[in-house]
Amino acid sequence: MASILVVDDDPTIHLIAAELLRASDHAMVEAADGVEGIRLFKALPVDLVVLDMLMPNRDGLETLLEMKALKPQVPILAISSGGRVSPASYLKAAMTLGADASLEKPLRLDTFRVTVDRLLAGNQKVARRVS
């Protein structure tokens, strides 16, 4: 059983992640922004982070950099809907800064499940999927 930290201000993403994790027997910890995400990341053992790029209080790119500095071995799945710019722009930046995979929102449960499973299995840099 893996422990997955989901950092996103969108409650729908938390529901999608919860559905996946319920079926996969993983534990999920939720954070609504980068500040809370960093606090939990420091305090808890985490096997994977699902990290939104656009959040209040602290954006995903800044959060990603700090998480990789703290625990570089923990894989990070960057997700984004793009906001005012293309999601591809944020996700490309995230991959450049150390994300191990990226997915565009809206997330599809099957693609999300495969990406999470691959990252947990240790296959990093596997899902550079930006549609």
Side-chain angles (χ1 to χ4, degrees):
M1 178 166 87
S3 176
I4 300 174
L5 173 59
V6 178
V7 185
D8 198 313
D9 60 321
D10 183 351
T12 304
I13 297 303
H14 293 277
L15 291 173
I16 290 169
E19 179 66 27
L20 165 71
L21 300 175
R22 185 177 16 251
S24 301
D25 198 31
H26 298 308
M28 183 175 91
V29 180
E30 299 177 40
D33 61 36
V35 173
E36 184 181 11
I38 289 293
R39 183 182 61 76
L40 292 170
F41 189 73
K42 288 178 178 178
L44 302 171
V46 174
D47 299 302
L48 173 68
V49 177
V50 177
L51 179 62
D52 186 25
M53 293 296 99
L54 293 173
M55 298 178 290
N57 302 322
R58 184 178 197 151
D59 72 33
L61 294 175
E62 185 180 356
T63 303
L64 168 68
L65 285 171
E66 186 167 348
M67 286 179 169
K68 281 300 183 179
L70 290 166
K71 301 177 189 176
Q73 74 282 4
V74 176
I76 296 177
L77 169 57
I79 60 174
S80 183
S81 60
R84 293 183 177 168
V85 299
S86 162
S89 298
Y90 288 108
L91 296 175
K92 182 177 179 182
M95 294 299 290
T96 300
L97 295 175
D100 298 285
S102 65
L103 292 173
E104 225 177 87
K105 292 180 183 178
L107 297 177
R108 291 190 305 235
L109 192 55
D110 57 338
T111 305
F112 184 60
R113 178 181 292 117
V114 166
T115 304
V116 166
D117 288 346
R118 286 183 183 162
L119 288 170
L120 288 173
N123 297 328
Q124 298 186 1
K125 303 286 184 192
V126 293
R128 295 180 182 213
R129 185 180 183 292
V130 180
S131 318

